[in-house]
Amino acid sequence: MCGIVGYIGERAAQPVLINCLKRLEYRGYDSCGIALLGGYTEIYKDAVRIEALEKSLQPNDSVIGIGHTRWATHGKPSEVNAHPHSDCSGKIAVVHNGVIENYMQLREQLTGEGHVFSSETDTEVIPHLIEKYYDRNLEQAVSRALNEITGSYAFITIHADSGELILSRKDSPLIIGIGDGEYFVASDVPAVLDYTDRVIYLEDGDLAAITKQGISITNNNERVTRVEDRVPWTVEEAQKAGYEHFMIKEIHEQPKVIRNTFAGHISALESEVELGLKNKEMGFSNILILACGTSYHAALIGKHVIQKLTQVPVTVDIASEFNYSESVLGNTLVMVITQSGETADCMKALKKAKELGCYTLVITNVVGSSAARIADDVLYIKAGPEISVAATKSFVAQLVMLYLFALSRSSIDVRSRASLIAELRQLPNKIHEILNREEDIAEQGRYLAGYENAFFVARGISYPVALEGALKVKEIAYIHAEGYAAGELKHGPFALLTPETPVIAIATRDNTYETILANIKEIKARESPVVAIAEDGDDEIGKYVDAVIRIPSVDPLFAPTTAVVALHLLAYYTAKERGCSIDMPRNLAKSVTVE
Ligand code: M6R
């Protein structure tokens, strides 16, 4: 998604803006640009990578500027559609994330008043509206412009006659990084980590004016103060640390991440889980979990785990679909799982759940994210910054948090709970064992890379893992892959099975094992090659499949956590063999802030 940055201080703004934009590259973009303030406003932008923009720039000593990475929504990627956008005078520049819903109507009206537009974007109405209301006070002009805008936005604007940054947000994140006599603005914390870990998270409706002397924030025309927070992430965590890609680095971080996730939540006697929720007495008759993409797959696994350990009925819905449902929720805990805490579909679902009067709990990775701030309660998975567009370590951390949640409310006896906690504690070691077998999995990845279609199948608690494996292969290796409940293949997809359609079957030894073996034999009878994900010590499976990826044995409840690590590695090596852009797959964005 789009990223925005801004700088005001003593140093040359241009290299700072370029560096901050590079830190946002992972979000996905197709164009970029900057605007610098001297005695006039200079804009440099194009549908190019940031390195190319950087090379085209001349040194510039301006100390105020804004920048943008664009992920096209209104109008194709092109120089003219890239941000910053300007007004007729050329004095104003604006970078914007979000969608201005009434832009067509505003554009018509402004055109009638003599404004000339050059792009196809919704954003361009913002500088023109500001120009319309500008009377030597930029903040006031922005405030008046905001009264006419409907939709979502985080934007920064500068004006050649005014040495300040003016910014505002609604339904799109915006933070201010605080330095020593300098300020950084960004849509996402990693952008400013090279310079500061002191941040202010703006709230919806905030309008901020930043000069070198300080920040003033108003909301609804009232002066407000926002507390300064410390970011719990380091610059090193947001770098590749010698790995070829962020994705493989993040897969390798998983043992450490799991330990972080459960740190502080398990009692000294190892038999109780304490999550520190505000509402410990939550007595809900049912739970609804909402999420998108990979987080949705974690939710599907969470359903199995929570129902098994607590006997509380759980339903799971895709966040964007929940937004259209005629929901009757009653005494329901609504849990929203979102790595970024900014996914627009999740935010809309969360707001709807709150409007329906439900108690809301968010499981997220990002401290201070929009979801974390509006939910009634929040659980942080503490996975550290996840830069690769493909979610890996956050998925495993979400699973661990769901295990902890279920264990904290479980109706099982103390001994069984202690034994599950002991097993949970072993997960980092088990994942280490899988990482040690990376080369074997890479070999299967190189094999899968030769195909254009594949199925991932499983049953029961592992079925969402099949969905996740297929999503990853689609997302980063551009192979058409379908995740299927193994029992469903014969109800249609069998027609697609040929020697050109490999099937990856998750066959861990739980109560579904015998049936999935039978399914594998049916698949082999249709001549599809089969690669099984199977446990150490399973001597049977090798007789029926073409290759086996081995994973260590764990309690069936935890098997998704180990199986998925193997599938993430498989997808990574498949994509690598196909020469794909692994960390920034085409057309995708890390944080999806539009519906
Ligand atoms: O930040 P979120 O967890 O809300 O993101 C949800 C999805 O956009 C995300 O999981 C997406 O599916 C991943 N890129 C998959 O690897």
Side-chain angles (χ1 to χ4, degrees), residues 69-80:
T69 48
R70 176 172 187 254
W71 189 82
T73 55
H74 295 66
K76 62 182 186 307
S78 68
E79 181 184 355
V80 78

Side-chain angles (χ1 to χ4, degrees), residues 2 68 70-76 80-83 85-86 94-108 110 117-129 148-155 172 593-594:
C2 305
H68 193 264
R70 176 172 187 254
W71 189 82
T73 55
H74 295 66
K76 62 182 186 307
V80 78
N81 288 332
H83 298 215
H85 287 285
S86 194
V94 170
V95 289
H96 162 235
N97 287 356
V99 175
I100 306 299
E101 282 160 8
N102 59 339
Y103 83 101
M104 287 299 276
Q105 178 199 330
L106 287 171
R107 190 174 165 126
E108 230 169 77
L110 287 160
F117 287 81
S118 46
S119 79
E120 300 160 83
T121 66
D122 54 332
T123 300
E124 204 184 351
V125 297
I126 305 177
H128 285 278
L129 268 180
E148 300 199 15
I149 288 171
T150 58
S152 60
Y153 51 79
F155 72 82
S172 200
T593 50
V594 291

Side-chain angles (χ1 to χ4, degrees), residues 292-296 337-343 346 389-392 398 468 471-472 475 588-592:
C292 307
T294 287
S295 299
Y296 170 71
I337 306 180
T338 166
Q339 185 282 133
S340 61
E342 301 295 348
T343 302
C346 290
V389 165
T392 55
Q398 286 166 348
E468 174 61 7
L471 176 65
K472 282 293 171 293
E475 181 180 22
L588 295 182
K590 181 66 183 165
S591 172
V592 185

Side-chain angles (χ1 to χ4, degrees), residues 457 486 489 494 497 501 503 505 516 518-530:
V457 298
L489 273 194
F494 259 27
L497 294 184
T501 322
V503 178
I516 200 140
N519 295 144
I520 287 172
K521 289 175 198 164
E522 292 158 8
I523 294 164
K524 283 304 297 173
R526 272 84 191 166
E527 297 187 6
S528 283
V530 176

